[in-house]
Every structure is written in C-alpha cells, then in structure tokens.
C-alpha cells in the first residue's frame, strides 16, 4: 500500500478581497515552496510574499481553485478552504443570454477555458496581435504565435467568448485575409482592454490586497406598505407553512425545481417553482371539487411577490375557508364588493373603464384590477382579478392573478393586507457577491467558420 508523504506546507484558499470571483492562496510552512511552484504552474499569479491569486476572465476561479486544491492535497499538502469560497465552489450558476445555449455546463466551461488560454497567451507575449477591428457585433483580431508553432490565427469574440475562428500558414496570409474583410475598420496592434480584462489586471496587483474596503454595515430595513416589502425567501416560507400544517403533504418533482404542497383531501394544491424569474409565475394555487374533477378556481403569484403577501395567502389557505365556492353562477356585484371593501374603506381610488374596474392605492404604486368580461366566462379560468404593485400596471414589479370563482373571503383578506399591513424593505446595496446568472455579450457569428470550438452544434 502506497501512502502520500506529508509535506510541511499549508495553503489557505479564500475569495479575493476586491475581485468578485478571484481566489487567493496564502502559503505557510517550511516547504511552502512546493505548493508555490505547483500553483504558479497552474497560472496563479504571485501578488505578495507567499500569497498568490487566481484571476481569470471567465469567472470560473472557484472551479479551478477546487481543482488545484485536489491536486495539492493529493501531494500531501494541507489545504484549507474558507467557507465563503466553498459556497462559491458549490454554487450552480449560468451565463445569461449565452450565445450557444445547446452547450452543457461542462461544455460552456471548456469553451471558456479555451478563451482563457488565448487570453493568457496574449498576456504572456506568446501570441502577438498584429491588428484588430470591430465587426459590428464584437472584436476580431489577427495574430501570430511566437516560438514553437509559428501559426497565425484569426480571433473572434471577447473575454470568455474569444475563439480561434481560422488559421493561416503565415502572418502575411493572415493579414491579407484580415484586411480584405475588415480593411475599413482595421486598427494596428491589440484591441483596448475590455472591462473584464482591466478588472483582472487590477486584481493581480499587490495593492489590490491592501486596499480592500471593509464590508459595509448593512443599512437598517425601512417600514413600507406591505406591497412594497422585500420578496424574502419563498422556499423557507413554504417550508414553515408545511411544518405548521400537517394536513398538507410535500412533494418534489424529479428535477427538484418545483415543490408541491397537497392537502390531504386532494382538493387543494399549491405549486412553487423555485428558480422562476422575478416577473414569472412562481406560485400556483388550485382548488378542486373532488380529487379528479376540473379546477374550481386558480390563483397565481409571481416570484417577486412580497413575503408578507404570500404569508397572508398561505394562512388563508390553511384555514380552509371557501374552497368549495360555487361555480355555477357569474361573479355578481355582491361578490366584487365583498372582495374589495377593505380597499374602498382605506380610500383607494375606484374607477371604471369599460370592462375594467380598478382600485388604486393613494400613491399610485399598487392596485387591484377586475375584468368584468372574464368574470362571466363560466367555463374558463381566466385572469379575472389582478393584484399588482410597481411603477404602473403595465410594468408591475409583481402580480397576483385569480380566476372568476376564487373565494371572496381569500380576496378580501388579501385586500385587507394590501390596504393596512406593512412590511420591511432593505435598501438595495452593491457588493461583490457572486451572481447565479452572469451576463454575457450578444451572440455574434464569426466571419469564417470556427475550426476548434469545443461546442459547435445542437
């Protein structure tokens, strides 16, 4: 049996103090030089005595830091990973608007790593850029590898999307082809640094470690009308509801993207989609006369709905009042009045515009809309009621919709909450916390077909 020898070297990995995705390694021990050489070979940059940094242009530092940690540990070097870095390593995130959506996450990482290699070759002087241009979508360039290969290449894209789109036998061929295509926009030398490249360069400087600003004290939350309150943690809200009400069972879909809460009678079902965007439907509540009948009524709520509003909704559902609402008659004036009386009592503005009846908050940043036409369509589960908050009804921050026969008692309780309740809202702050969805540039097609992309087809 072979055992890994113990080396007197300790590597402490942590997030970079000024760069959101970069990673630092602090080395100690009499044999720290062994870890030092291993990290430098993996493109970590020395930024201070026994301190190295991994800074990339594809935001994949936590992944590659974890890879480095495994290699160091296999050599017998002690590796300590800070909790906040471990959280970043475990996080699943994606590029928003990625121009190759058919790629798997590992293929996206492969494409990014090839772009990283091109960036490093340029940065280390191994790839000499002769000229660059902008093709209307992104940056293109032509250059030649110095040393062993001597091949000339046509580059397309920026940052994590840069790729080798074509190769040439000589710099002269490359320049002639580039000038023929981009002569009017061509500029000599490399393109100016992108924001990502500039940020990476700053993170590799020693001063970046010494000028880090302390984490600011979070501002105290302010008390606001309930419809302006923070979204909160919807998943935790549902878990608390299920823990307190044993008559609801919890079910998860095969992908773990959705949780279902189903009443023991099988006649009330709650669906929560965990990763819905702010204005997408995240909650669907449906009531049935019997477990196998059609829906009597349905209510939906978007992902940005404030936690106190959802809490009131769940509390009402737990009471079980009105599930068996009659569905054989149109919604009459009495039902509409009952549902909105709290708004009228609180001085919300009431108006009628054709088929639409509106109640709007005194400040104009929330409202309830009733569609009299949809209310008469007995066989449909149309959006008869719309509760909204935001700049205006056409650009709501969040909405709750309900079908014709949603219980008046439930709607009245929601109206009471909107009219009188308050919640907490924490002012927005900017920070370096890693995002689960990073924005990439607009898709752009190379002028010539790529020959070495890691992911090229659906």
């Amino acid at each position: 049996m072979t055992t890994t020898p113990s080396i007197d070297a300790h590597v402490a990995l942590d997030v970079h103090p000024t760069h959101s995705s970069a990673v630092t390694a602090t080395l100690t021990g009499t044999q720290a030089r062994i870890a030092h050489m291993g990290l430098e070979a993996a493109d970590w940059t020395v930024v201070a005595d026994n301190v190295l940094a991994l800074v990339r242009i594809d935001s994949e530092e936590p992944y590659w830091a974890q890879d480095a940690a495994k290699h160091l540990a296999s050599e017998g070097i002690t590796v300590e990973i800070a909790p906040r870095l471990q959280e970043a390593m475990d996080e699943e995130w994606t590029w928003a608007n990625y121009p190759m959506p058919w790629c798997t996450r590992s293929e996206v990482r492969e494409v990014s790593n090839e772009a990283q290699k091109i960036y490093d070759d340029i940065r280390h002087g191994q790839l000499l850029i002769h000229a660059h241009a902008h093709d209307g979508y992104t940056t293109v360039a032509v250059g030649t590898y110095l040393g062993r290969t001597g091949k000339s290449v046509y580059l397309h894209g920026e940052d994590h999307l840069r790729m080798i789109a074509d190769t040439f036998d000589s710099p002269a061929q490359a320049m002639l082809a580039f000038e023929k295509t981009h002569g009017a926009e061509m500029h000599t030398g490399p393109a100016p640094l992108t924001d990502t490249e500039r940020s990476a360069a700053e993170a590799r400087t020693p001063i970046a470690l010494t000028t880090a600003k302390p984490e600011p004290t979070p501002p105290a939350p302010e008390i606001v009308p309930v419809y302006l309150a923070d979204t909160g943690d919807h998943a935790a809200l549902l878990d608390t509801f299920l823990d307190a009400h044993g008559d609801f069972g919890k079910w998860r879909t095969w992908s773990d993207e959705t949780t279902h809460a189903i009443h023991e009678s099988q006649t009330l079902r709650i669906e929560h989609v965990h990763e819905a965007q702010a204005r997408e439907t995240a909650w669907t509540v449906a009531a049935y006369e019997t477990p196998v009948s059609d829906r009597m009524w349905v209510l939906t709520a978007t992902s940005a709905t404030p936690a106190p509003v959802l809490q009131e909704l769940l509390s009402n559902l737990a009471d079980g009042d009105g599930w068996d609402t009659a569905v054989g008659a149109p919604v009459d004036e009495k039902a509409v009045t009952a549902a909105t009386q709290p708004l009228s009592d609180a001085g919300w503005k009431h108006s009628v515009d054709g088929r639409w009846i509106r109640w709007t908050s005194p400040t104009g940043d929330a409202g309830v809309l009733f569609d009299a036409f949809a209310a008469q369509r007995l066989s449909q589960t149309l959006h008869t009621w719309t509760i909204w908050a935001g700049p205006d009804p056409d650009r709501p921050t969040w909405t709750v919709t309900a079908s014709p026969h949603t219980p008046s008692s439930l709607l009245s309780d929601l109206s009471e909450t909107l009219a009188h309740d308050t919640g907490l809202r924490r002012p927005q702050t900017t920070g370096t916390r890693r995002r689960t969805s990073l924005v990439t540039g607009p898709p752009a097609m190379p002028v010539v077909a790529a020959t070495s992309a890691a992911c090229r087809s659906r």
Side-chain angles (χ1 to χ4, degrees), residues 36-60:
H36 196 288
M37 289 186 294
L39 291 174
E40 275 198 286
D43 279 329
W44 290 62
T45 302
V46 177
V47 292
D49 289 341
N50 288 322
V51 179
L52 295 90
L54 179 62
V55 187
R56 297 172 60 93
I57 46 87
D58 61 358
S59 298
E60 295 282 5

Side-chain angles (χ1 to χ4, degrees), residues 21-345:
S21 61
V23 178
T24 62
T26 303
L27 281 53
T28 55
T30 60
Q31 295 177 297
R33 66 185 183 282
I34 298 176
H36 196 288
M37 289 186 294
L39 291 174
E40 275 198 286
D43 279 329
W44 290 62
T45 302
V46 177
V47 292
D49 289 341
N50 288 322
V51 179
L52 295 90
L54 179 62
V55 187
R56 297 172 60 93
I57 46 87
D58 61 358
S59 298
E60 295 282 5
E61 291 95 336
Y63 171 83
W64 293 106
Q66 190 170 44
D67 183 70
K70 292 177 181 177
H71 282 88
L72 293 171
S74 69
E75 297 294 330
I77 296 171
T78 302
V79 180
E80 178 186 355
I81 301 175
R84 55 183 178 174
L85 175 57
Q86 187 63 59
E87 181 181 350
M89 290 176 174
D90 296 338
E91 182 181 16
E92 290 293 333
W93 62 275
T94 57
W95 290 100
N97 304 320
Y98 194 74
M100 293 173 277
W102 56 88
C103 289
T104 65
R105 184 68 184 89
S106 60
E107 289 171 337
V108 169
R109 185 176 287 121
E110 184 179 349
V111 171
S112 296
N113 196 44
E114 290 301 314
Q116 180 70 39
K117 292 177 181 177
I118 296 172
Y119 165 75
D120 288 336
D121 288 341
I122 296 173
R123 185 167 65 92
H124 294 311
Q126 297 169 359
L127 174 56
L128 177 64
I129 301 300
H130 306 305
H132 71 276
H134 198 279
D135 67 356
Y137 296 96
T138 189
T139 299
V140 292
V142 61
T144 299
Y145 277 93
L146 307 179
R148 60 185 185 280
T149 65
K151 68 177 181 180
S152 296
V153 294
Y154 171 75
L155 302 178
H156 180 275
E158 300 174 353
D159 300 330
H160 64 289
L161 297 177
R162 183 188 280 131
M163 64 177 63
I164 296 176
D166 205 355
T167 59
F168 302 88
D169 293 333
S170 70
Q173 288 183 359
M175 283 297 296
L176 286 173
F178 193 80
E179 186 173 2
K180 181 179 180 180
T181 305
H182 304 290
E185 300 83 16
M186 188 175 73
H187 301 277
T188 59
L193 295 179
T194 66
D195 290 343
T196 298
E197 291 172 334
R198 190 176 298 106
S199 177
E202 292 172 354
R204 286 190 294 268
T205 61
I207 194 173
L209 299 179
T210 60
T211 59
K213 298 179 180 179
E215 289 291 328
T217 302
E222 56 181 328
I223 299 175
V224 295
V226 70
Y227 50 79
L228 299 178
D230 284 338
T231 302
D233 188 337
H234 284 193
L237 202 65
L238 182 57
D239 287 339
T240 300
F241 170 79
L242 292 171
D243 289 342
H245 300 92
D247 49 348
F248 281 85
K250 180 178 181 180
W251 300 84
R252 298 294 292 268
T253 61
W254 64 271
S255 64
D256 281 346
E257 294 177 353
T258 305
T259 297
H260 296 272
I262 303 176
H263 190 262
E264 59 188 9
S265 67
Q266 301 288 306
T267 59
L268 185 70
R269 303 168 193 176
I270 305 170
E271 176 187 88
H272 177 224
V273 180
H274 296 275
E275 299 299 330
Q277 297 299 310
R279 292 179 175 83
E280 294 178 345
T281 297
W283 294 81
T284 301
V285 179
Y288 304 79
E289 186 175 2
T290 70
V292 294
S293 65
D294 293 333
R295 288 175 174 176
M296 293 192 301
W297 57 267
V298 60
L299 179 147
T300 69
T302 56
S303 184
T305 304
V309 175
L310 285 173
Q311 196 163 18
E312 175 59 31
L313 171 63
L314 292 172
S315 297
N316 188 285
L317 296 175
D319 294 338
D321 182 25
W323 294 3
D324 56 350
T325 299
V327 295
V331 181
D332 56 20
E333 183 178 353
K334 180 180 179 180
V336 174
T337 300
T340 59
Q341 191 63 50
L343 303 176
S344 300
D345 294 343

Side-chain angles (χ1 to χ4, degrees), residues 353-400:
D353 181 13
R355 62 189 279 188
W356 310 105
I357 304 176
R358 308 171 189 270
W359 292 262
T360 308
S361 67
T363 52
D365 50 4
V368 175
L369 181 67
F370 175 74
D371 184 348
F373 174 78
Q376 307 308 310
R377 302 294 294 272
L378 302 182
S379 63
Q380 303 291 332
T381 54
L382 299 175
H383 293 170
T384 304
W385 295 93
T386 301
I387 302 171
W388 63 273
D392 60 62
D394 296 325
R395 295 183 298 124
T397 302
W398 61 268
T399 58
V400 170

